[in-house]
Amino acid sequence: MSPKEVTAQPPRAPGNGLAEKGLSGKGLKAGAVGLLGAVVIGVSCIAPAYTLTAALGPTVSEVGVQLPAIFLVGFIPMILVAFGYRELNNAMPDAGTSFTWASRAFGPWIGWMGGWGLIAATIIVLSNLAAVAVDFFYLMLAQLFGNPELGELSKNLPLNIATTLVFIALACWISYRGMEATKGVQYVLVAFQLLVLGWFAVAAFSHVANGSAFDATAISPDWFNPFAVGSFSAFAAGVSLSIFIYWGWDVTLTMNEETKNPEKTPGRAATVTVVVIVAIYMTVALATLSFAGVGETGLGAGNPDNQSSIFAVLSGPVMGPFAILMSLAILSSSAASLQSTFVSPARTMLSMGHYKALPGRFGKVSPRFKSPSYATIAAGLAAAAFYVITRTTSENALWDTITALGMMICFYYGITALACVWFFRAQAFSNGRAFFFKFLAPLLGGVILLVMFFKTAADSMDPEYGSGSSVGGLGMVFILGMGVILLGVVIMLVMSRLRPEFFKGQVLARGREEFRRAGVSKP
């Protein structure tokens, strides 16, 4: 072991409230983040500017003017699941979140797969975030120097890959330096992107009021009616996309061992983050639809040519000479999210190493920065390798894997929500609050997400789903999504031979203490 690294070991850290919950501290820096800092990091991880520019167009293509309705429908399972996460965190704050909680509720095998779903999803999106940051980095240079050729440099494959790896390395370095460094960077980047999104919305509404909008469209109550969507398949596709745009709020929970008041702050931060994000999305969505309409020509939000980056098309007409600020906002959004997204996989792998579900080196913590050292570097290397392999193999493979993200998000969110229901089953009917927050809300949220998982998996078998690529008649999105999950099963089986203590329930036992206090027998 390097002299610069330590591996957190029992006995459990005193005073953090984990010992009596059957969990243990891992050497992370306690009390480094308050409520505001956690919300900022949560918003950063969701990356509203980056997410909207990538998801607004495709969602409009599925549901048209019912975009606000679909955003609200996607918000419902997110807030329901967030309630379940909050209850689990209150009972047992642990950086492993989905992995730890599902293990305590359902046992090691389901718990391991819950952790794998989170790790796989975040590793994949890290590579995509870096790619988007690079695209907007060169676009920003082109706008700054008035030279369109600079914007084309992102299409130079060797240069693109090299620049992407630099972005990943910088984000990994900041994350390695711990939550203090992460928090400081995020305050600046998040504030800037929210300011620019607000500017865009106000400018768009001003154009509508002045009669200078491209396709001025009056806001109608019908926009908020999800039953007006043409078909259930379009509805499901729209909800799947809207679930993706909210994804990332759970980073506030993975920081629970590093927050002030770890039993309360992370859950509150998750709830506040989701509410803040839905307010941002609704404002920008209404502004975009009012200004551009949903037509398939020109600046219309339904134009297929505009779907890869709606703000790259609309920022000039809406913001005029200040359009460069939107490029900077999306660059800062993707770069900020790239950095903050490292928090989740690193701390999940740290917990899995600590509880002997992965090799022990994943449980190493930097004594200087009190951050997951080996796990953070491993996440960076995995994201870099994934990007290089997919980008050099096929650009369609990269984007189809991003589309498959929705399945993995629904998979591990659904498992965690149902873990809340099962873990607190003896308390569910003790009072009204317990019934809603520990049973009904997470049950509904978990079932909705798992239904979406199976529906998306079935739909993605169609070769026309995603980029249109297929292998043996099966859509590439289905192959990649199921392939990533099956890869997790294979790795889990290997780890069960190498680290049998965890899989025998000898390290992270199911919730004995909580069940005893609740008056039921050990599961």
Side-chain angles (χ1 to χ4, degrees), residues 44-124:
S44 165
C45 196
I46 295 174
Y50 148 74
T51 303
L52 281 171
T53 195
L56 231 165
T59 310
V60 167
S61 72
E62 296 288 350
V63 300
V65 293
Q66 275 70 49
L67 175 70
I70 291 298
F71 278 3
L72 288 174
V73 170
F75 167 74
I76 292 171
M78 288 297 100
I79 194 66
L80 294 176
V81 170
F83 288 149
Y85 268 68
R86 184 183 65 186
E87 296 303 315
L88 287 166
N89 181 78
N90 289 348
M92 42 184 171
D94 189 89
T97 58
S98 294
F99 157 73
T100 305
W101 299 333
S103 295
R104 297 273 283 166
F106 298 132
W109 298 93
I110 295 178
W112 202 98
M113 286 305 298
W116 171 255
L118 186 154
I119 292 168
T122 47
I123 293 296
I124 290 170

Side-chain angles (χ1 to χ4, degrees), residues 7-23:
T7 302
Q9 298 285 356
R12 297 173 178 116
N16 61 4
L18 298 177
E20 63 269 23
K21 300 176 187 300
L23 307 176

Side-chain angles (χ1 to χ4, degrees), residues 152-425:
E152 298 297 313
L153 290 177
S154 65
K155 298 179 182 178
N156 182 309
L157 186 58
L159 181 61
N160 179 290
I161 290 175
T163 311
T164 301
L165 296 183
V166 170
F167 271 71
I168 292 174
L170 286 172
C172 184
W173 177 72
I174 295 171
S175 187
Y176 184 95
R177 293 176 63 84
M179 291 309 303
E180 293 288 354
T182 296
K183 182 175 64 174
V185 170
Q186 296 304 328
Y187 276 129
V188 176
L189 296 181
V190 169
F192 177 70
Q193 66 173 297
L194 294 187
L195 175 65
V196 174
L197 285 175
W199 188 332
F200 174 88
V202 170
F205 283 128
S206 296
H207 280 292
V208 173
N210 296 333
S212 55
F214 169 74
D215 182 13
T217 308
I219 297 175
S220 165
D222 189 54
W223 293 10
F224 302 90
N225 179 13
F227 300 104
V229 177
S231 68
F232 181 72
S233 292
F235 176 84
V239 171
S240 180
L241 285 165
S242 69
I243 286 171
F244 168 72
I245 70 175
Y246 289 111
W247 176 54
W249 54 264
D250 53 314
V251 71
T252 62
L253 281 302
T254 63
M255 301 183 293
N256 50 26
E257 294 185 39
E258 298 158 273
T259 56
K260 300 170 184 176
N261 190 5
E263 295 184 358
K264 300 295 182 183
T265 298
R268 291 170 180 166
T271 305
V272 172
T273 298
V274 176
V275 172
V276 168
I277 286 296
V278 76
I280 295 169
Y281 284 171
M282 291 301 291
T283 301
V284 176
L286 291 173
T288 301
L289 293 181
S290 296
F291 176 88
V294 296
E296 297 183 0
T297 59
L299 300 179
N303 187 341
D305 295 335
N306 300 343
Q307 289 180 11
S308 61
S309 182
I310 192 72
F311 291 148
V313 176
L314 295 182
S315 59
V318 171
M319 302 176 70
F322 298 101
I324 189 173
L325 294 179
M326 182 58 80
S327 297
L328 288 171
I330 297 170
L331 171 60
S332 69
S333 178
S334 52
S337 184
L338 172 64
Q339 193 271 306
S340 61
T341 300
F342 267 102
V343 171
S344 288
R347 280 149 185 79
T348 300
M349 288 190 284
L350 171 74
S351 294
M352 294 179 78
H354 178 74
Y355 292 121
K356 301 184 179 181
L358 285 176
R361 56 184 175 271
F362 284 92
K364 293 178 179 178
V365 173
S366 165
R368 178 181 177 187
F369 299 115
K370 303 296 182 184
S371 67
S373 52
Y374 187 90
T376 300
I377 294 172
L381 291 175
F386 178 83
Y387 183 76
V388 171
I389 292 171
T390 53
R391 194 70 172 81
T392 53
T393 302
S394 167
E395 188 170 351
N396 284 344
L398 175 65
W399 297 113
D400 278 341
T401 309
I402 297 303
T403 305
L405 265 177
M407 281 192 284
M408 282 175 275
I409 295 167
C410 292
F411 174 72
Y412 85 85
Y413 272 0
I415 287 176
T416 310
L418 296 185
C420 177
V421 175
W422 185 252
F423 191 85
F424 294 113
R425 66 190 185 276

